[in-house]
Amino acid sequence: MADQDPRRPPQPFNPHELTQQFEQLLRTRRLNAFSQRTRSRPSSQSSPYSSPVPSRHPSQQAPHPKSRSLHDNQNHHLPSYSSLRNLPKVPSPPQDPGSLRFRNQLLSLSVGPTKYENPGLLDEALTVIPLDRIYGEAEDESQLLQAQAASMDPPQKPEWGYQDCVIRALLKWFKRTFFTFVNNPPCPGCGSPTSALGMTPPTPDESARGAGRVELYKCTAPECRAFERFPRYGDVWALLQTRRGRCGEWANCFSMLCRAVGGRVRWVWNAEDHAWTEVYSEQQKRWIHVDACEEAWDNPRLYTEGWGKRMSYCIAFSAEGATDVTRRYVRDASKHGLDRNRAPEEVLVWITDEIKKLRRGDNTSKDDRRRLVVEDHREEKELRGYVVRALAAGLDRITLSDGQPSPAGEEQKLPERISGSQAWREARGEAGNRPPSSERPPREGH
């Protein structure tokens, strides 16, 4: 600038300052859009889902030169305004056929976790868990974490509480001892490998235990050629007996066992054929990602940055409602996100609010409702924070033109998928950076 003192050294670049300026631009654009929509509402015949084009208000002051430069280049380097998805949405009821189908699907999915509250089922689950072993390992880890925290200067709070350690011990036992992942089930007669033949209708007994579909396999041994059925059970009691399945069965059964030992759980549905669990940590006051298939704990970037998976919707269901948690798992929507075209964003907010009202009905006390609202606001702040940090990281990558390395932890190598055969993972496009196979693999199921 012309009035800058040449004797003063140049100020170092501050990405945080640019992030704040960019957020201010977003707020200004949204205010202008709202003002224009308000003025044009009597004569507007546009769709309720359309967004007006923002315009500059005559009284608006000119932005700072750095802000103007950032605004001029944001369409080339930064995520679009609409893609950030972190601004408040006005809930709108579904009206078009696609939105109504999506609502029915989410309402159906939301019923599953309510079954985890069945006292008889929880008692049955406790009979299969080695409680002495689980609680013993949890106590040992909890004491170790407390000792480590107390040894810090100044003393810190332990990273995980005792209940978190219980879930971590349960996760290790479930993955290594209790449940089995199924690629192609072995022949029941001779134990030889089998080959898939397709789908077959479930029997009445299989349907009664929640099997909406059954996969049919045939033994590859010439002298046997026996058939094997693989029902995809959705009933948790049946899974306690069979103790096998793919990610849908793993997440379903593990979530219920977490509930049996006292954890608050969510079952997370992903539109791209995966499912996992979230457990609430009272120690950290947030929901923790847990994937029993991978023995993964608090690693939500695993799927996009480890597996190379692209995702559109990640919806968490519990006995307390439903929440869109996609921002927790898709940090870079331009790189790892897919089109969210099943319903407008305002409609999705309306659907999740509807499920929350349904689950938090008259049986929920006023104190619990207030607590859940506080948790909802805290989680929304957390999810927005992921968007802001992703934006700041993008600014760093744009402005670091001298080949400096990225900040520590941003480019850390995350593990590839370990559950399922290598061919099966490659066919699903979940084998890291390897391209997906043209062969269609069996679904994991939800």
Side-chain angles (χ1 to χ4, degrees), residues 233-248:
Y233 289 123
D235 182 74
V236 184
W237 187 89
L239 297 177
L240 291 176
Q241 317 306 315
T242 63
R243 304 183 182 185
R244 68 174 190 170
R246 301 197 188 102
C247 83

Side-chain angles (χ1 to χ4, degrees), residues 197-359:
L197 297 179
M199 309 300 294
T200 188
T203 64
D205 178 68
E206 292 167 341
S207 296
R209 292 193 283 172
R213 63 186 188 278
V214 178
E215 298 173 6
L216 185 63
Y217 295 84
K218 187 175 183 180
C219 179
T220 58
E223 66 278 4
C224 181
R225 311 299 287 177
F227 293 93
E228 168 68 349
R229 301 170 65 87
F230 179 34
R232 307 303 306 276
Y233 289 123
D235 182 74
V236 184
W237 187 89
L239 297 177
L240 291 176
Q241 317 306 315
T242 63
R243 304 183 182 185
R244 68 174 190 170
R246 301 197 188 102
C247 83
E249 291 89 345
W250 279 68
N252 194 9
C253 189
F254 179 73
S255 297
M256 190 271 299
L257 293 182
C258 289
R259 189 74 188 104
V261 296
R264 290 176 57 197
V265 299
R266 284 171 167 175
W267 177 82
V268 184
W269 168 82
N270 166 234
E272 286 67 48
D273 194 28
H274 193 49
W276 58 89
T277 304
E278 286 185 346
V279 180
Y280 190 77
S281 170
E282 291 291 347
Q283 185 78 355
Q284 297 208 7
K285 301 298 181 185
R286 64 182 177 92
W287 288 94
I288 307 299
H289 158 254
V290 189
D291 191 323
C293 285
E294 306 297 297
E295 200 178 328
W297 172 268
D298 196 23
N299 191 6
R301 294 159 50 206
L302 171 69
Y303 310 117
T304 55
E305 299 176 35
W307 296 8
K309 187 179 182 72
R310 302 185 67 192
M311 301 191 292
S312 57
Y313 295 96
C314 300
I315 313 294
F317 299 98
S318 72
E320 299 161 344
T323 304
D324 179 8
V325 294
T326 309
R327 288 170 289 178
R328 179 175 292 131
Y329 299 94
V330 182
R331 303 294 177 86
D332 188 344
S334 63
K335 184 177 181 181
H336 300 120
L338 291 175
D339 291 339
R340 291 163 61 93
N341 51 18
R342 300 199 182 193
E345 295 299 319
E346 295 80 4
V347 172
L348 178 57
V349 174
W350 191 92
I351 296 171
T352 54
D353 286 349
E354 179 188 20
I355 296 174
K356 286 178 182 177
K357 292 176 183 177
L358 184 64
R359 300 289 173 246

